[in-house]
Amino acid sequence: MPTENELLSNVDALLEQVAKDDLPPPAERKRLREASGLSQTQVATALQTRRETVASWESGKNEPRPPQRAAYARFLEKLAERFPAPDSEATDEPAVPETFTAAPAPAPSEPVAARPPARPASTARPAATSRRPGAKKAAAKKTTAAAAVDPRFENGPLAVVDCEDGQVSAYCVGGLVLDVPAKSLPALVDWTITEAHLGQARLHRNGRDADPILVLTPAALERYGLPAALSDEERRAGRLKDSHKVVKQLQRAGLQLTQRGLGPWARVFRDPEGSRRRCVQLCIPSWNALDAREWDKKDDPQLPSMHPADLARYLGTYAQRVMTPRGTTSTTGLELMSALRPPTRAEKNEVTGEFERAFNADALTAVYEHVECEVPDEHPMLKGKFERHHLRTPAEMLMEEPYDWCRPLSDDECMLPYLVAVDVNMAFAAATNGLTVGLGAPTHLTGNPAFDPKVPGSWLVDLSHVDLSRVQIDGRTLDADLLPSPFTPKGDRPTGPAWYATPTVAYAVELGFDVAPIEAYVRLESGRYLDPWYKRLREAYIETMADLGVTTDMGGQEFLDAMAVHKQVDPTMALLLNAIKSTAKGGIGKLRQRNRGQVPYYEEWPALKRETWRPDIRAAVLSTVRIGMHRKILKTAAVTGRYPVAIGTDCIVYPSTGQSPLNVLPYTDEGKPVPGTFRLGVSPGMVKHQGTQTVLWAEAQFEEAGAVFNLANLIKTDHSAGEGE
């Protein structure tokens, strides 16, 4: 026979199960607490939980669970007796109860019999699921986007798995929290595949759906038998030892790992069921999966102390606006290109009636023979051609890089009080907009081929005759001594033949000079491969900036004021902004990923086997960045007579009479930016304020650093600015 205490415990358990029905709505919970003058911390202390947990109860993101649920319900019940809700204002229409089950009145033109009878409110308890009772669904908002959510991935692209008080929870996008029943890592993977409804639909109809990601917190690692950090040996190998008990658990369960093993970014999978993949990606931040240089603030890391719900919001929003992360932001940026331009598609064979693989004409579909002038020094094709430490000249190597130029101030500029730096938003992404790049194999042209600005490629041509003092903009001759050359990263005038990408040679023609190529490697198959990539990143950037209070309709001082405080508006979205910028910059850099020392010099490295290892495309983008800036510099000089004193990648420094960019950038009499010059704004390609320093500060820097110095790298009011782009 059961004892009296056992029966009372059973009754208490039943009361706790139905306690959620006694809880008022989230807004009422907050009202009652504020009416009593109590803080969230005081309530959390009384219920032996965290302040953030109480905040989530009041916002409706989570619902209390036993044993706190019954105590919280009693707490609110007593407060409601002491602080009843104020009577609603009288209206001509009767108030509608919060739970209304009657059918609405039919429209005049609709027969009454056409409407089904109202379904009576059910009093039965819902069937048990893995969803936490009362948790908000990810698609709860009544929006068009929510209505179009793929039911296979209704809970979002990823989840942050955490463990608190023995209960494992999965924090998803939109405040959704799932209870995780899995007791081991293999069970967690199977739960994700079969029940979690995580993942992301393909970005292109010929692509493939993204695998779900589980981000494991240190508490979750401990719960599933994984170490909080890798040993030195494991860190160098980039994976957990194959002899580890969790790896053996996965093997016994019939789960497989990729060749990369169980590391910071691990893929665990079962064999596909037909065309359905059964793969889960694990992200382990404490194993340095989210490098602080890309995903965080490297000087003040935020991720280690970030609440799982905030981390889910951060990475989940990134996945929704960019794509599901694939590792570093650089890797994700490169993968985004292929996701938006898949190399292959399924095409039906009219003869056999079966579907076969076909290549898409607008994508990168094959690894072609590399071009000697385009590859970095350690490439295998250069073995035996140069001395080991030989520095190739511009006539031997395509050196399309961003600007790194600085000059001394003139006497007149020294009389001005300030130096103002402006920075181009998303410079590398903006340069890809509308850019034609090569898609097929290179064709070698010799015998002084004619230059064609519409054909992407690399050209060996002598541009030393281009004299900027002979260039006129709007009928005004410029001071060439105060301008950088557009043809070299250091701003020096070329001294002889050199390899250039098509945009650079085309700019020489635009300035009015004849060009005579000696030879070239061109790609006759071409297209605007990066257009959807740019559009995706631009929309992500603009939407995130809007979350931070900076919108496209701002101009002038309003924009500068909003930018001055935008990082304080929402720290999580500020991290997302940096991640988006790093994705754009890193994705372009990955097009010419270099040997990182994993293999000996002049030996092939894995990146060379990718269709997207295309140094010529990277060169075309960087050439466009440099040329675009130079074009606006000339126009600004012609309109205002102001010349830059330093350029660092996408940052331009001007002497100024005031501390604001409004004292530097030209405007028409109507108050609009002069066409063709730098323009303040949030869109990619526009500029923002990077920082201001005094001329006296600059002179002191010159005296201390000497010639090896660039003012543009130091003029930052906010030293965290400009780290992505």
Side-chain angles (χ1 to χ4, degrees):
M1 294 293 293
T3 64
E4 182 179 354
N5 289 335
E6 290 176 345
L7 294 175
L8 290 174
S9 297
N10 293 339
V11 171
D12 289 341
L14 288 176
L15 290 174
E16 287 177 349
Q17 289 181 15
V18 300
K20 69 181 183 69
D21 299 327
D22 299 332
L23 295 178
E28 178 65 7
R29 303 170 198 174
K30 182 177 180 181
R31 186 196 72 80
L32 290 172
R33 179 185 57 77
E34 292 178 345
S36 66
L38 297 174
S39 67
Q40 291 178 343
T41 302
Q42 289 174 299
V43 177
T45 302
L47 297 177
Q48 297 184 10
T49 186
R50 298 182 303 175
R51 185 199 63 80
E52 293 82 2
T53 302
V54 175
S56 69
W57 296 344
E58 294 183 354
S59 65
K61 289 185 177 181
N62 297 322
E63 287 294 318
R65 295 179 301 178
Q68 284 90 357
R69 184 187 299 157
Y72 187 54
R74 179 176 177 82
F75 168 71
L76 295 176
E77 179 185 358
K78 295 300 181 183
L79 288 183
E81 294 175 359
R82 298 186 58 184
F83 305 100
D87 295 335
S88 58
E89 296 180 1
T91 60
D92 296 335
E93 299 178 0
V96 180
E98 186 175 350
T99 304
F100 186 71
T101 57
S109 60
E110 183 181 8
V112 175
R115 287 193 177 272
R119 179 178 297 175
S122 174
T123 58
R125 291 181 54 80
T129 67
S130 62
R131 182 181 302 277
R132 174 173 300 167
K136 194 168 59 174
K137 293 187 69 173
K141 294 185 178 179
K142 303 286 185 179
T143 62
T144 304
V149 169
D150 191 321
R152 297 173 300 161
F153 313 124
E154 63 175 344
N155 293 336
L158 54 83
V160 178
V161 181
D162 189 37
C163 181
E164 181 181 1
D165 298 330
Q167 171 63 45
V168 181
S169 303
Y171 293 81
C172 306
V173 181
L176 172 67
V177 183
L178 304 176
D179 283 335
V180 180
K183 304 299 183 183
S184 65
L185 189 61
L188 176 65
V189 172
D190 286 334
W191 172 82
T192 305
I193 294 173
T194 59
E195 295 185 47
H197 296 285
L198 294 173
Q200 188 176 36
R202 64 195 68 185
L203 299 180
H204 188 282
R205 61 189 179 92
N206 293 326
R208 65 176 178 85
D209 300 330
D211 298 322
I213 290 184
L214 297 181
V215 184
L216 304 181
T217 66
L221 293 178
E222 181 181 0
R223 175 66 181 79
Y224 291 118
L226 292 167
L230 296 177
S231 66
D232 291 341
E233 181 182 353
E234 292 168 337
R235 182 172 48 81
R236 286 190 295 269
R239 58 192 291 171
L240 209 61
K241 292 182 179 179
D242 292 340
S243 58
H244 194 278
K245 63 178 182 179
V246 175
V247 177
K248 292 186 176 297
Q249 276 182 2
L250 294 172
Q251 294 172 347
R252 287 195 298 268
L255 291 163
Q256 304 174 59
L257 289 164
T258 61
Q259 292 182 354
R260 301 177 66 179
L262 185 53
W265 289 91
R267 288 189 180 274
V268 189
F269 64 95
R270 292 190 183 278
D271 292 333
E273 285 184 345
S275 61
R276 176 175 172 263
R277 287 170 58 89
R278 297 191 296 172
C279 180
V280 176
Q281 188 168 6
L282 303 180
C283 170
I284 307 178
S286 62
W287 294 4
N288 199 34
L290 302 175
D291 194 314
R293 294 170 296 180
E294 296 184 333
W295 293 103
D296 204 353
K297 292 182 178 180
K298 62 183 180 182
D299 298 326
D300 182 22
Q302 306 293 310
L303 296 184
S305 59
M306 185 176 286
H307 188 274
D310 292 328
L311 184 58
R313 176 183 175 230
Y314 169 37
L315 296 177
T317 307
Y318 177 92
Q320 291 175 330
R321 295 181 181 178
V322 181
M323 71 176 298
T324 302
R326 300 290 180 86
T328 64
T329 56
S330 302
T331 299
T332 305
L334 190 70
E335 291 288 335
L336 180 62
M337 297 179 191
S338 298
L340 295 170
R341 295 281 201 192
T344 60
R345 69 182 187 278
E347 188 173 77
K348 189 174 183 179
N349 188 315
E350 298 298 336
V351 178
T352 63
E354 296 184 355
F355 283 93
E356 299 175 350
R357 188 178 70 163
F359 292 103
N360 293 317
D362 59 356
L364 301 178
T365 59
V367 179
Y368 298 105
E369 181 181 356
H370 299 146
V371 176
E372 182 177 317
C373 68
E374 296 173 351
V375 301
D377 293 334
E378 65 272 22
H379 195 279
M381 70 186 311
L382 299 180
K383 186 175 183 179
K385 295 194 175 184
F386 303 101
E387 296 293 334
R388 171 66 185 272
H389 299 290
H390 172 75
L391 296 178
R392 286 192 288 168
T393 65
E396 298 168 335
M397 179 182 183
L398 180 65
M399 295 184 178
E400 295 286 11
E401 299 292 339
Y403 265 127
D404 183 12
W405 171 80
C406 186
R407 65 169 176 84
L409 278 67
S410 67
D411 293 340
D412 291 339
E413 291 168 343
C414 287
M415 300 301 293
L416 298 175
Y418 300 107
L419 294 176
V420 176
V422 293
D423 178 82
V424 181
N425 299 325
M426 297 274 285
F428 295 114
T432 66
N433 185 25
L435 178 65
T436 300
V437 299
L439 300 178
T443 300
H444 189 198
L445 304 179
T446 58
N448 302 106
F451 174 69
D452 187 346
K454 296 181 180 179
V455 178
S458 302
W459 306 81
L460 180 62
V461 58
D462 189 351
L463 298 180
S464 60
H465 63 288
V466 178
D467 185 0
L468 295 180
S469 63
R470 294 163 49 194
V471 176
Q472 287 194 342
I473 305 294
D474 296 341
R476 179 171 179 173
T477 302
L478 307 179
D479 189 345
D481 294 335
L482 301 180
L483 290 168
S485 168
F487 308 122
T488 62
K490 292 293 184 181
D492 303 326
R493 185 170 174 173
T495 58
W499 286 99
Y500 301 101
T502 296
T504 303
V505 185
Y507 186 57
V509 176
E510 178 185 328
L511 294 176
F513 296 90
D514 295 329
V515 296
I518 301 170
E519 63 174 311
Y521 289 91
V522 298
R523 289 163 176 84
L524 302 178
E525 297 178 33
S526 61
R528 293 166 59 162
Y529 171 73
L530 294 170
D531 272 7
W533 185 80
Y534 163 76
K535 182 179 179 181
R536 180 83 175 176
L537 289 174
R538 180 191 182 278
E539 291 176 351
Y541 179 78
I542 293 296
E543 189 174 356
T544 305
M545 288 297 291
D547 290 339
L548 295 172
V550 187
T551 58
T552 55
D553 58 352
M554 292 180 174
Q557 192 59 50
E558 183 185 9
F559 169 74
L560 294 175
D561 292 342
M563 286 297 296
V565 298
H566 77 286
K567 291 189 176 182
Q568 287 73 47
V569 172
D570 188 335
T572 302
M573 289 296 102
L575 285 182
L576 176 61
L577 183 69
N578 286 337
I580 293 172
K581 292 192 290 186
S582 295
T583 302
K585 185 175 182 179
I588 297 300
K590 276 280 189 178
L591 291 169
R592 196 194 69 163
Q593 180 177 337
R594 303 189 65 170
N595 178 1
R596 297 178 178 176
Q598 302 97 324
V599 294
Y601 216 70
Y602 293 134
E603 295 294 332
E604 287 196 3
W605 60 97
L608 298 182
K609 299 179 181 179
R610 290 195 321 245
E611 296 88 347
T612 51
W613 195 84
R614 291 293 300 272
D616 59 300
I617 297 181
R618 173 187 177 273
V621 173
L622 298 188
S623 168
T624 304
V625 171
R626 197 179 65 250
I627 295 305
M629 292 174 62
H630 195 273
R631 187 181 289 114
K632 293 181 180 180
I633 287 170
L634 293 188
K635 182 68 174 181
T636 302
V639 175
T640 66
R642 300 188 186 99
Y643 295 83
V645 298
I647 309 174
T649 308
D650 49 11
C651 174
I652 310 99
V653 181
Y654 278 100
S656 173
T657 56
Q659 301 185 46
S660 170
L662 297 175
N663 301 116
V664 174
L665 305 181
Y667 287 82
T668 64
D669 295 337
E670 292 79 19
K672 297 182 179 180
V674 174
T677 63
F678 296 107
R679 178 179 178 180
L680 283 174
V682 69
S683 296
M686 296 184 178
V687 298
K688 60 181 178 293
H689 186 204
Q690 179 82 335
T692 299
Q693 290 286 359
T694 64
V695 170
L696 292 177
W697 169 87
E699 290 298 334
Q701 297 295 322
F702 276 121
E703 292 179 4
E704 179 180 347
V708 186
F709 174 69
N710 191 339
L711 288 171
N713 296 331
L714 293 180
I715 299 185
K716 295 179 182 179
T717 302
D718 179 1
H719 287 276
S720 66
E723 290 178 353
E725 281 188 65

